[in-house]
Amino acid sequence: MASDEAPKPAADRIRVVGKWVGALEVDLGAWTAPMLRAEVARRVGGGVEPERVGLIFGGRVLKDDPPASLLEAGLKANAKVLSSLASPDRAKEIAAEAAKAKAEEEHAARLVRLWDAAKAMSQRHTDGSFLEDEDYNLDLEDQSGQKVMFGSVDDMKALKMALMLHQKGKTQMKKKKYKEALDVLIMAEEAFSLCDSKLIQKVDNMPMLQLDIVWCYFVLRDVSCLEVAGTRLEKARVGFERSHGKDSSRFRVLQAGRQADLAIYVRLELLEGVVAYHNGHTEKARESLTSAQAKYLQLQVPDEAISMLMDMGYEARSAKRALKMTGYDIQSSVDLLCEEREKKIRRQEEDRERQREILEQMRYGKTPMNKAVDLQKLKDLTNIGFEKYLAAEALRINENDAEKALDLLTNPEENCILQNKIQARRSRATRGSSSSRAAAARTARAINNRQAFVSAPPHAVDGNAPPHAANGNPQEGNQADGNLPEGNDVDSKPPEGNDVDSKPPEGNDVDSKPPEGNDVDGNPPEGNNVDDNPQEGNQDVVMTDEVAVNDEDTNSIPVPARDVSMESELADELTGDALDDYDIEVSDEGQAIAEYMSLLESVASS
């Protein structure tokens, strides 16, 4: 009788010699090296672990990674495989080496991803481009929270990239992952090297990076880096004096007499003393360590002072930081805390204004180069007397070139063609208005649900203390208008060609948390809309929302693939706190100072 079962493929026979000798029937297309190794181990007997079995074919070792069939590995019918048996200890060594090699390979691949993501983000945000699924923006600020624009476009890109990588390295340092942090910090140094050296000399970001690198050397006890550590510390010392002034005189003036940089010099002088000690310069080491110890004692905040500020309603961490930076002066500490609170409120107000701009830019779509319509140029054209929706489209299709847009608008024939084109889109979009309105509301909520502003502020060109990534405070009460114009698609995405500008309000910092006041599900609270006067300018809203729909110019330049998870990781770790780099918990430094002072005493007594 005929059987319904499909015939099984014929097994291939291979010969095994060495530790075990015999023939095995295998399916070369299905079996892998681990399966063959496990079978040989079973045939050897005695509870031999498969990891101890080595297999060699054609002069090369059959490896488990990447997984491949025996056929893909080159084995054929009647192939001869040599088997060997390693000692238990050697097997563990081999397994440990394989695990180490795999971990190093994964780490190297992660560093490449990190570099590529930082590079992509810096380039995108410098030239004004944006992506519809991106909810953060990169801007440079000084310590006062003011937006900084200096250097060429390439300098801006390199600086943003370096600051992102530096912040990533500092985050890993806080997690005690010093080896991983060191690799990222070296990448940040490479990014800084792409900037104009004269530009970098005016800020203290680079000296801070040198100090962080040497601190990683010290924690890892990497004596081989002793010589280069000394060179890096010299660069850091010169850089701090250039940006802070001699004995931090300029820094004190800019910080209203506060000593926010004291912890930095504790670490710097400690490391200078350590390098001097290991190079045999005991007197220089003693001088540096003694100075570091004196500064360390100044940073020991009395518990009573912290309690006084906590009784006023301040958090313990904020109170301790303010006291350290003001020399325990209660009134100065309160002033500093009030200033920080005012900055936060000002940023939140700027956030709300910038979000209004984001929603407006959504309606105009993006240029063929995936950039947002320049609102300042749009304002200039509307001030001349052109209608807003028409001026926006002229700028969009001309890549924000104001002169070309003006030529188009002042040409009666081209102006008429443009108006007819927009009117045709309006007619097509109106057919699905009711469903589109609901979709637009969902889109608006999505924008506000995770509106982050990545601010990595360098210190101003005048020598202000260093810029560092943005504040990270969530936005407060910043909501989108749920009634966006008709013409959005039903799937809650903006119309084709329309995109969400990823630039949140200027002056805000990097935090991808939803704005304060948003519900957990991201829906904005009732009654807190961006547009307080929905009827005002309604005609422009309706028309401009449809400007870029189905335009052949839209997306003419393909958007490169994004590493979304890595970009989000970089954005989420930027804090925007201008004083964060100076807020060093110096307990480890205190222990190290005591350790090396003790070593110096031992040398002196001997």
Side-chain angles (χ1 to χ4, degrees):
M1 297 178 61
S3 174
D4 293 336
E5 297 181 359
K8 296 181 179 180
D12 296 304
R13 184 184 296 272
I14 63 173
R15 292 178 296 159
V16 180
V17 297
K19 185 61 181 179
W20 179 81
V21 180
L24 291 176
E25 290 188 356
V26 301
D27 182 354
L28 294 176
W31 279 48
T32 60
M35 294 170 64
L36 180 58
R37 185 175 291 107
E39 180 61 21
V40 172
R42 189 181 69 80
R43 298 296 181 100
V44 171
V48 173
E49 298 174 350
E51 291 77 12
R52 294 178 56 192
V53 176
L55 300 174
I56 300 176
F57 170 73
R60 55 189 176 82
V61 177
L62 295 178
K63 298 182 178 180
D64 298 349
D65 194 24
S69 67
L70 297 179
L71 186 63
E72 293 173 331
L75 274 73
K76 298 180 180 179
N78 297 319
K80 184 168 69 174
V81 178
L82 175 63
S83 63
S84 62
L85 193 63
S87 65
D89 292 339
R90 179 55 183 162
K92 292 180 180 178
E93 290 178 7
I94 293 174
E97 289 174 0
K100 182 179 179 181
K102 185 176 181 180
E104 290 178 352
E105 184 178 351
E106 291 176 350
H107 179 59
R110 179 174 173 79
L111 289 177
V112 172
R113 287 179 59 203
L114 192 63
W115 176 272
D116 290 343
K119 183 178 180 180
M121 292 171 69
S122 64
Q123 291 178 339
R124 207 161 49 236
H125 294 278
T126 302
D127 64 9
S129 58
F130 62 88
L131 300 174
E132 66 181 58
D133 56 345
E134 190 177 52
D135 54 3
Y136 45 80
N137 184 59
L138 294 175
D139 271 337
L140 299 177
E141 295 179 351
D142 59 22
Q143 277 194 325
S144 63
Q146 299 300 313
K147 191 173 180 179
V148 176
M149 297 292 293
F150 54 82
S152 66
V153 173
D154 289 337
D155 288 334
M156 297 287 285
K157 292 177 182 179
L159 191 54
K160 288 180 179 181
M161 186 175 176
L163 291 173
M164 281 188 283
L165 293 172
H166 190 185
Q167 181 62 34
K168 178 63 179 178
K170 289 186 291 187
T171 301
Q172 290 178 321
M173 289 174 65
K174 291 177 181 179
K175 296 177 180 178
K176 308 298 183 183
K177 298 180 179 180
Y178 292 102
K179 187 176 183 305
E180 294 84 351
L182 183 58
D183 291 334
V184 179
L185 293 174
I186 296 298
M187 288 168 56
E189 183 180 34
E190 182 178 350
F192 272 122
S193 69
L194 302 176
C195 301
D196 185 349
S197 59
K198 295 181 180 179
L199 173 66
I200 296 302
Q201 290 175 359
K202 298 175 182 179
V203 296
D204 71 353
N205 297 80
M206 192 62 176
M208 286 291 299
L209 177 63
Q210 298 290 350
L211 190 60
D212 288 336
I213 290 174
V214 179
W215 182 251
C216 288
Y217 291 159
F218 174 72
V219 175
L220 294 171
R221 302 290 175 174
D222 192 347
V223 182
S224 63
C225 295
L226 198 61
E227 182 176 351
V228 67
T231 303
R232 289 186 181 279
L233 290 175
E234 289 177 7
K235 291 180 179 178
R237 170 69 70 175
V238 171
F240 283 133
E241 288 186 356
R242 184 186 295 115
S243 58
H244 294 177
K246 189 69 175 177
D247 298 324
S248 296
S249 57
R250 184 183 301 118
F251 187 84
R252 293 286 188 273
V253 171
L254 295 171
Q255 292 290 323
R258 300 175 187 128
Q259 52 186 23
D261 61 334
L262 200 59
I264 290 177
Y265 287 98
V266 171
R267 179 174 287 184
L268 175 63
E269 291 174 352
L270 161 64
L271 293 173
E272 288 174 336
V274 170
V275 171
Y277 172 81
H278 286 290
N279 284 326
H281 305 143
T282 56
E283 288 304 318
K284 183 177 179 182
R286 188 185 305 277
E287 180 182 351
S288 296
L289 291 171
T290 301
S291 179
Q293 189 175 48
K295 291 181 175 63
Y296 168 76
L297 294 175
Q298 293 181 52
L299 292 172
Q300 304 311 299
V301 181
D303 292 338
E304 296 79 6
I306 298 177
S307 298
M308 289 180 66
L309 290 181
M310 290 180 66
D311 291 341
M312 298 179 189
Y314 297 106
E315 295 181 354
R317 183 179 180 279
S318 300
K320 185 176 181 180
R321 181 170 86 164
L323 288 166
K324 286 194 301 182
M325 294 182 178
T326 58
Y328 323 145
D329 186 288
I330 300 297
Q331 185 58 51
S332 297
S333 298
V334 172
D335 292 341
L336 176 59
L337 290 168
C338 289
E339 287 179 16
E340 291 300 305
R341 180 174 293 176
E342 290 173 359
K343 287 180 183 179
K344 179 180 178 180
I345 294 172
R346 186 175 67 250
R347 283 195 176 103
Q348 289 171 347
E349 292 174 350
E350 292 170 348
D351 291 347
R352 284 190 281 272
E353 177 59 31
R354 184 63 182 127
Q355 275 198 325
R356 291 187 182 96
E357 295 179 355
I358 291 171
L359 293 175
E360 182 178 356
Q361 285 179 313
M362 284 177 56
R363 300 171 185 133
Y364 305 142
K366 52 188 175 182
T367 72
M369 296 293 291
N370 295 310
K371 298 178 183 178
V373 171
D374 190 314
L375 294 183
Q376 182 56 50
K377 293 180 180 179
L378 176 61
K379 183 179 179 180
D380 293 340
L381 290 175
T382 54
N383 287 339
I384 297 174
F386 295 106
E387 293 184 78
K388 201 171 196 178
Y389 77 96
L390 200 60
E393 178 65 353
L395 284 170
R396 190 191 70 78
I397 63 178
N398 285 291
E399 204 63 53
N400 285 320
D401 189 318
E403 292 186 5
K404 290 183 179 180
L406 183 59
D407 291 340
L408 185 154
L409 293 170
T410 53
N411 185 311
E413 183 178 349
E414 293 184 2
N415 190 310
C416 184
I417 293 173
L418 186 62
Q419 290 192 56
N420 291 336
K421 193 175 183 180
I422 294 172
Q423 185 61 37
R425 292 184 190 134
R426 291 185 61 202
S427 300
R428 290 195 299 269
T430 304
R431 289 193 290 269
S433 60
S434 59
S435 58
S436 300
R437 189 176 295 111
R442 292 195 296 274
T443 302
R445 294 191 185 99
I447 298 167
N448 284 282
N449 184 38
R450 193 169 174 273
Q451 185 64 57
F453 187 69
V454 183
S455 225
H459 294 282
V461 178
D462 61 0
N464 287 0
H468 293 287
N471 174 330
N473 295 327
Q475 304 163 5
E476 195 171 319
N478 206 5
Q479 310 305 335
D481 183 1
N483 296 318
L484 287 184
E486 300 175 3
N488 281 1
D489 298 328
V490 178
D491 60 359
S492 81
K493 296 180 181 179
E496 183 180 333
N498 276 6
D499 203 352
V500 178
D501 180 13
S502 58
K503 293 184 178 179
E506 295 180 5
N508 195 10
D509 306 303
V510 173
D511 184 6
S512 60
K513 298 178 182 178
E516 293 181 18
N518 273 8
D519 299 329
V520 175
D521 61 358
N523 294 330
E526 295 181 5
N528 198 10
N529 295 326
V530 171
D531 188 359
D532 296 327
N533 299 305
Q535 299 302 321
E536 184 178 342
N538 186 58
Q539 182 65 19
D540 279 344
V541 168
V542 173
M543 300 184 74
T544 55
D545 191 45
E546 301 150 0
V547 163
V549 182
N550 298 324
D551 189 355
E552 62 275 6
D553 293 333
T554 302
N555 291 328
S556 59
I557 300 299
V559 179
R562 290 181 60 200
D563 190 340
V564 177
S565 61
M566 186 59 72
E567 288 186 12
S568 298
E569 185 176 318
L570 282 170
D572 293 348
E573 290 176 352
L574 292 171
T575 65
D577 185 352
L579 298 178
D580 183 62
D581 280 344
Y582 307 106
D583 184 21
I584 300 175
E585 179 54 56
V586 292
S587 56
D588 291 340
E589 284 80 352
Q591 295 177 5
I593 291 170
E595 175 186 349
Y596 277 87
M597 290 293 283
S598 176
L599 291 173
L600 286 173
E601 294 299 326
S602 300
V603 171
S605 61
S606 62

